[in-house]
RNA sequence: UGGGGCGUAGCCAAGCGGUAAGGCAUCGGCCUUUGGAGCCGACAUGCGCAGGUUCGAAUCCUGCCGCCCCAGCCA
């Protein structure tokens, strides 16, 4: 972690830990875990949890385990475990040798189940799924006991063993905890501990045909690993009594579960189910499409690990359901990239400028600063010639007030170059501006005394004879509504897709960019931050992804009217 | 009509009985060879509402109101 990140602020999780430390509940020990299910790619919401869990462990001198919660073989895959590990590492966290899997504990869990059965606290139930639901009761009415609830210990042991052996088909039997069918907390109404699933598991293969449910696996896994603080999201609050019940019945180490509010961001969706749908419906390019809020998508988009960590720190941790404005995230990348990205000039929408008084074959090299925020980044030489490209938006034939750029008869500064004046506008038959004929003032080359003359605007440019043609991908929000899930009856979040979320253009970029390496961050001066795409770039033909635009005061002004 | 949570500015979020931190956004101004960055300033007589306790309440008590979660053999 770099030293210049915002100082960490307090939150209710740390307060709870502080209380434990002063009461001595865990003997000053702090041991957390990040427990993803390998059934999808990690997204920025997970990043918040990762930063919280690893961050707290680090802050209190403890450690954080990585544990895959792989108890449902029908949804999980090694592709996901690989991507999850890569993403956590990229974010800058290290679980060292503490890489665990809930499936590592299947045998222990089975023995724990035997103990509960032996203690008369669990039983094999033969109700169908539908019957279980009926017997569970409703929110306002208590449930009723399963007819199999009072089987003998011997019979339960026999049946459970045969479940494991594979004697029964899927769905025919479950092992249930004997808690309280009248509990106002539905999770306590004899929850299912094991279900029969004749499915191939990505790690245990065909060793098992019974798999533990989340509630039965999670707390016990925490306990086995000696976790002190089991941090999860709000929807598990109702599960805490069951979490506590299991470890109490077993008489094993009892971690403290703590719940916090998951992250939501405007103009995006954050559920794995919905992200998976975008991928499988081909709406996006894959889990790592630069428009996705996945860690891999953000990485490809050009976000940096420290900007994401900074974001997680800034949004804080609390129990209030909230939606953070995407502007907050964008601020975090801009701040990081402003300090570190090399400046270059690239013209996204070119308009040719001919300097009529500039010698035909002359090439002047202008010294350009690589990063005004960091002198050690040095300078580079940029070729300047008679024919240049400037941004089409930087010229207006009939400019409004406050437009500081080029217009007929007006002067403007070319960054690191000369002050030029627009003398003539060349149009095609349809009246489109195709070229500007300008003159340059040779006394105003950057560095000369005359260059300090006041001119309203400074434009970026690129030499037409040296420019490299490159693909640039401009991204907008994936959804056009602040809350994509806010839809009319019968519609889904898919109706809120933003059809303009990706625009692919050809740009003219300065020659130094031909060999730019994938993943390198640049600031295209006056336009935004861009990074070299890791999928579509090839040596000599870079493809740039726009990470985020620069703050644009002019856009704000011109939109106001 | 059951249970579990949560309400502090447009968005996050501190605050824990002594008189509303900070960030983002927004709006002014300065500065600037990026309309970037930076700098300065403004931005809750107010903490969901109503009562009460107290010298003093966002913090304690009571009652309301609003929002979120729970009836998977998902996690």
């Amino acid at each position: 972690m770099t030293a210049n990140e915002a100082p960490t602020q307090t939150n209710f999780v740390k307060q709870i830990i502080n209380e434990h430390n002063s009461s001595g509940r865990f003997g000053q020990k702090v041991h957390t875990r990040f427990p993803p299910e390998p059934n999808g790619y990690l997204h920025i919401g997970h990043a918040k949890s990762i930063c919280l869990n690893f961050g707290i462990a680090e802050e209190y001198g403890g450690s954080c385990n990585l544990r895959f919660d792989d108890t449902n073989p029908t949804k999980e895959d090694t592709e996901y475990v690989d991507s999850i590990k890569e993403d956590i590492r990229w974010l800058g966290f290290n679980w060292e040798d503490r890489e665990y899997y809930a499936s590592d504990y299947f045998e222990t869990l089975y023995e724990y189940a035997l103990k509960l059965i032996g203690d008369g606290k669990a039983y094999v139930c033969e109700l169908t799924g539908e019957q279980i639901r009926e017997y569970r009761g409703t929110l306002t009415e208590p449930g009723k006991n399963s007819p199999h609830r009072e089987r003998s210990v011997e019979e339960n042991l026999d049946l459970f063993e045969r479940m494991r052996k594979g004697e029964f088909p899927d769905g025919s039997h479950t092992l249930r905890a004997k808690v309280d069918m009248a509990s106002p907390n539905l999770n306590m109404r004899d929850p299912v501990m094991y279900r029969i699933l004749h499915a191939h598991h990505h790690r245990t293969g065909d060793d098992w045909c019974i798999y533990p449910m989340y509630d039965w696996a999670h707390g016990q896994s925490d306990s086995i690993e000696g976790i002190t603080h089991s941090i999860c999201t709000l929807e598990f609050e109702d599960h805490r009594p069951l979490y506590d019940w299991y470890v109490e019945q077993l008489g094993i180490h009892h971690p403290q579960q703590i719940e916090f509010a998951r992250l939501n961001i405007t103009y995006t969706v954050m559920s794995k189910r919905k992200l998976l749908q975008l991928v499988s419906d081909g709406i996006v390019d894959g889990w790592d499409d630069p428009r996705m809020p996945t860690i891999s998508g953000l990485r490809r988009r050009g976000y940096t690990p420290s900007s994401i960590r900074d974001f997680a720190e800034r949004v804080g941790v609390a129990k209030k359901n909230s939606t953070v404005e995407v502007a907050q995230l964008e601020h975090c990348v801009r701040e990081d990239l402003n300090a570190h990205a090399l400046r270059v000039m690239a013209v996204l929408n070119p308009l040719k400028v001919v300097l009529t008084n500039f010698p035909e074959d002359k090439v002047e090299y202008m010294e350009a600063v690589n990063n005004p925020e960091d002198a050690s980044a040095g300078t580079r030489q940029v070729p300047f010639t008679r024919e240049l490209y400037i941004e089409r938006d930087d010229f207006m034939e009939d400019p409004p007030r406050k437009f500081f750029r080029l217009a007929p008869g007006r002067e403007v500064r070319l960054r690191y170059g000369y002050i030029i004046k627009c003398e003539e506008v060349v149009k095609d038959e349809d009246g489109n501006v195709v070229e500007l004929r300008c003159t340059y003032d040779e006394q105003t080359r950057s560095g000369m005394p005359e260059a300090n003359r006041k001119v309203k605007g400074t434009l970026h440019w690129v030499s037409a004879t040296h420019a490299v043609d490159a693909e640039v991908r401009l991204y907008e929000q994936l959804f056009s509504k602040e809350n994509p899930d806010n839809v009319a009856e019968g519609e889904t979040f898919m109706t809120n897709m933003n059809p303009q979320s990706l625009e692919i253009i050809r740009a003219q970029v300065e020659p130094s960019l031909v060999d730019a390496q994938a993943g390198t961050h640049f600031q295209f001066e006056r336009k935004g931050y861009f990074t070299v795409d890791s999928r579509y770039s090839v040596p000599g033909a870079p493809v740039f992804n726009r990470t985020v635009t620069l703050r644009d005061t002019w856009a704000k002004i011109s939109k106001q009217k």
Side-chain angles (χ1 to χ4, degrees), chain A residues 169-416:
Chain A
D170 288 5
S172 62
H173 297 66
T174 55
L175 183 73
R176 293 228 258 163
K178 194 186 287 186
V179 191
D180 177 9
M181 289 306 292
S183 172
N185 180 345
L186 305 215
N187 294 119
M188 302 300 271
R189 318 242 263 226
D190 288 12
V192 171
M193 294 166 64
Y194 278 97
R195 74 284 213 187
I196 299 175
L197 242 34
H198 289 269
H200 188 82
H201 186 279
H202 70 104
R203 297 195 91 227
T204 61
D206 298 314
D207 292 351
W208 295 85
C209 64
I210 58 172
Y211 289 92
M213 296 290 288
Y214 166 84
D215 287 303
W216 174 240
H218 201 88
Q220 282 48 257
S221 300
D222 284 342
S223 182
I224 290 166
E225 293 176 14
I227 298 304
T228 55
H229 302 272
S230 180
I231 303 169
C232 61
T233 45
L234 251 30
E235 67 271 25
F236 292 103
E237 230 158 0
D238 286 341
H239 294 240
R240 184 164 13 107
L242 180 56
Y243 182 107
D244 293 339
W245 190 88
Y246 281 137
V247 290
E248 281 311 316
Q249 298 307 313
L250 260 13
I252 56 178
H253 165 66
H254 191 157
Q256 176 66 53
Q257 177 178 301
I258 302 169
E259 311 85 9
F260 72 99
R262 56 178 353 135
L263 174 69
N264 294 293
I265 295 182
T266 54
Y267 297 102
T268 192
V269 294
M270 207 70 93
S271 91
K272 276 200 245 179
R273 199 208 96 225
K274 289 171 189 156
L275 296 177
L276 174 62
Q277 189 182 343
L278 295 176
V279 173
S280 32
D281 288 4
I283 307 291
V284 295
D285 211 12
W287 285 97
D288 67 346
D289 185 291
R291 293 166 292 179
M292 292 282 271
T294 50
I295 308 287
S296 51
L298 290 166
R299 174 168 59 233
R300 223 179 123 194
R301 175 78 170 253
Y303 276 73
T304 57
S306 78
S307 69
I308 293 172
R309 280 187 247 118
D310 183 35
F311 174 72
E313 186 59 43
R314 287 182 195 233
V315 301
V317 179
K319 300 195 70 154
K320 184 174 71 172
N321 285 312
S322 61
T323 303
V324 176
E325 289 174 343
V326 70
Q328 178 81 243
L329 215 209
E330 292 177 340
H331 169 81
C332 292
V333 233
R334 284 197 190 102
E335 190 174 80
D336 189 22
L337 261 16
N338 175 54
H340 304 295
L342 297 181
R343 271 61 170 175
V344 292
M345 292 196 282
V347 175
L348 302 184
N349 187 9
L351 172 61
K352 181 171 277 188
V353 167
V354 178
L355 302 180
T356 53
N357 58 340
F358 195 90
E360 201 93 27
D361 296 318
K362 186 174 181 186
V363 180
E364 279 191 49
Y365 282 87
M366 306 304 192
E367 181 171 57
V369 173
N370 288 329
N371 185 351
E373 307 292 324
D374 176 12
S376 73
T379 60
R380 68 188 185 289
Q381 301 296 313
V382 184
F384 184 94
T385 53
R386 176 183 163 94
E387 296 199 351
L388 308 167
Y389 290 119
I390 65 166
E391 211 68 63
R392 199 163 271 275
D393 291 349
D394 285 339
F395 172 79
M396 277 185 106
E397 231 187 326
D398 187 19
R401 273 210 330 257
K402 289 189 172 175
F403 182 82
F404 302 154
R405 285 110 96 142
L406 201 57
R410 289 233 287 228
E411 277 193 330
V412 87
R413 182 194 310 281
L414 293 182
R415 179 141 236 229
Y416 302 124

Side-chain angles (χ1 to χ4, degrees), chain A residues 546-559:
Chain A
R546 182 171 69 195
T547 307
V548 66
T549 60
L550 247 31
R551 279 188 63 218
D552 189 346
T553 310
W554 166 242
K556 216 173 280 175
I557 294 168
S558 53
K559 201 184 286 178

Side-chain angles (χ1 to χ4, degrees), chain A residues 69-98:
Chain A
D69 219 332
D70 55 351
T71 56
N72 185 354
T74 65
K75 290 186 176 167
E76 297 152 6
D77 195 273
T78 50
E79 173 197 351
Y80 298 124
V81 346
D82 293 340
S83 75
I84 288 169
K85 285 157 66 174
E86 181 187 1
D87 289 347
I88 299 172
R89 245 183 251 119
W90 178 77
L91 275 176
F93 297 101
N94 185 358
W95 57 93
E96 298 170 315
D97 59 348
R98 297 179 311 280

